[in-house]
Amino acid sequence: GVRVGLQRCEYPLHCTRRHADGSMLLCLPQFVASPLCCPSRASILTGKYPHNHHVINNTLEGNCSSTAWQKTQEPKTFPALLQAYAGYQTFFAGKYLNQYGNPDAGGVEHVPLGWDYWVGLERNSRYYNYTLSVNGKPKKHGGNYSEDYLTDVLTNMSLDFLQYKSNYRPFFMMVSTPAPHAPWTPAPQYQDRFKDLKAPRDPNFNVHGKDKHWLIRQAKTPMTNSSIELLDEAYRKRWRTLLSVDDLVEKVVKRLEVRGELDNTYIIFTSDNGYHTGQFSLPLDKRQLYESDIRVPLLIRGPNIKPNQTTGLAVQNVDLGPTILDMAGYNVSKTAMDGMSFLSVLEGSVNSTTWRTDFLVEYEGEGSNVSDPACPLLGPGVSVCFPDCVCEDSFNNTYACVRTVAPSANLQYCEFDDNEVFVEVYNITVDPYQLINLAKTIDQEVLEKMNHRLMMLQSCSGQSCRTPGVYDTRYTFDPHLMFSNRSHRRNRLRRA
């Protein structure tokens, strides 16, 4: 069988979106293991939670495309297994990990294991004036639209691969467009679209998060007009950049159809993290535990997948690798991946009583050791403090959550590694916009069970990540135990 994986970033997508050939895709609710580019992308590639692949943020020091990552994790990614053991020819084009190409980690000459054809973007998201590693050789691009607009360049390279690949071996493609990541540069023909579009004014838009973690409580409510104008314009620009991604998807699908390969190809369309635009008065970013940041689209079409479906069984991006390996006929049990294959969900042979009900989301906050010159009153330890000195991250924006999705419960339980050992609990069924933190009012037994399950997930590996924890009735609720092995981090920032 022929396989294609199309992987993207931050797509504001709904399940009603139609595929380029007119058919409806199967849509699944998907959550990320961490709401930040590099840890999340590492989870997609390895099928592991951040506490097992050890990529904690977007820096080289945080293991993002570091030499340690290259030695310990790249040989175990699902593309490496597809290539080495399943006989696949593999193609990558676009953004890999944020620090890819860093001279201190091998530069663009480094081609990660698992890829026959490699077109990797040096460093982070750009649309013009960037360098690509083409099979380990640098190729610079400038500012000419027809030659250099990155989404179109990736489109053309993808089409070339489909045209000239071997017809005697199955293939896997991963096309990873930065769009709609900042700087949100649209193609010229799309720069005037969506002039009247605004970010959704959901019930949690421009609302003070008074019962939330201190980083949320510090946001200015109501937001200034300039902040609202900024987030609305960013929202419009993001949509504009995605019109070129629509072109990419359409052209790839049509090329597969012309070649007679579409019906034998899985197409996976997803993202590495969400994005908030005004939720709880945070202007624009990710890195938070709320649904806007941790939920991403997942649409799949392919063999034995019935059209026009939406399933309520939740999956996670650690499940993508195991599922793709399963599609290729590789025995996933041979891996050390934390995720599980959801191929049986796609084919309709699994029901809610046998599917996993809870999973982990974890994030390790980033901050600066010095004060932001633009916001000196905030002191050190915070970061991304724009606009209006509203900070989106900090050292102690470090948390772990267990997200439960089951017929009987739709809950989120989170603990912070901070001086407060702050806890947030939400009943998503009755409070989908997470306006009411139930931590101080929920039944103590429920708190104990979720705290217990969270501790087990944060220490899980492989099979133990996929099975429910057995609750010990002698267990006592104690969030302080959650981060006991990392208590040294609390000394880096003291903030009430």
Side-chain angles (χ1 to χ4, degrees), residues 374-396:
C375 310
L377 295 179
L378 296 176
V382 292
S383 62
V384 200
C385 299
F386 71 91
D388 300 321
C389 292
V390 175
C391 301
E392 299 279 1
D393 207 3
S394 70
F395 280 134
N396 67 356

Side-chain angles (χ1 to χ4, degrees), residues 247-307:
D247 294 339
L248 184 159
V249 174
E250 182 177 16
K251 290 177 180 179
V252 167
V253 169
K254 285 185 174 178
R255 179 62 57 88
L256 288 168
E257 190 171 26
V258 167
R259 292 178 56 85
E261 297 175 329
L262 183 59
D263 291 342
N264 197 32
T265 298
Y266 288 101
I267 299 178
I268 303 171
F269 190 94
T270 188
S271 170
D272 58 359
N273 53 256
Y275 205 71
H276 58 254
T277 47
Q279 283 75 21
F280 306 116
S281 298
L282 294 178
L284 66 168
D285 195 55
K286 43 215 174 186
R287 309 166 206 265
Q288 305 304 331
L289 57 88
Y290 307 107
E291 297 283 282
S292 57
D293 294 22
I294 67 172
R295 283 194 70 153
V296 292
L298 178 60
L299 294 92
I300 302 177
R301 63 155 294 159
N304 300 318
I305 299 176
K306 295 179 181 179

Side-chain angles (χ1 to χ4, degrees), residues 106-169:
V108 295
E109 292 74 24
H110 170 69
V111 176
L113 285 173
W115 302 105
D116 294 304
Y117 304 93
W118 172 259
V119 184
L121 176 67
E122 181 187 35
R123 302 295 184 101
N124 206 357
S125 305
R126 304 285 289 273
Y127 295 81
Y128 293 107
N129 301 305
Y130 55 85
T131 297
L132 293 175
S133 169
V134 181
N135 295 322
K137 296 182 179 179
K139 181 176 175 57
K140 293 186 179 295
H141 283 263
N144 184 301
Y145 168 70
S146 62
E147 298 176 358
D148 302 310
Y149 189 69
L150 181 58
T151 308
D152 292 352
V153 169
L154 300 181
T155 301
N156 293 334
M157 289 186 164
S158 300
L159 297 176
D160 285 346
F161 170 74
L162 289 175
Q163 189 65 32
Y164 299 111
K165 66 177 176 60
S166 167
N167 293 327
Y168 300 100
R169 293 172 59 202

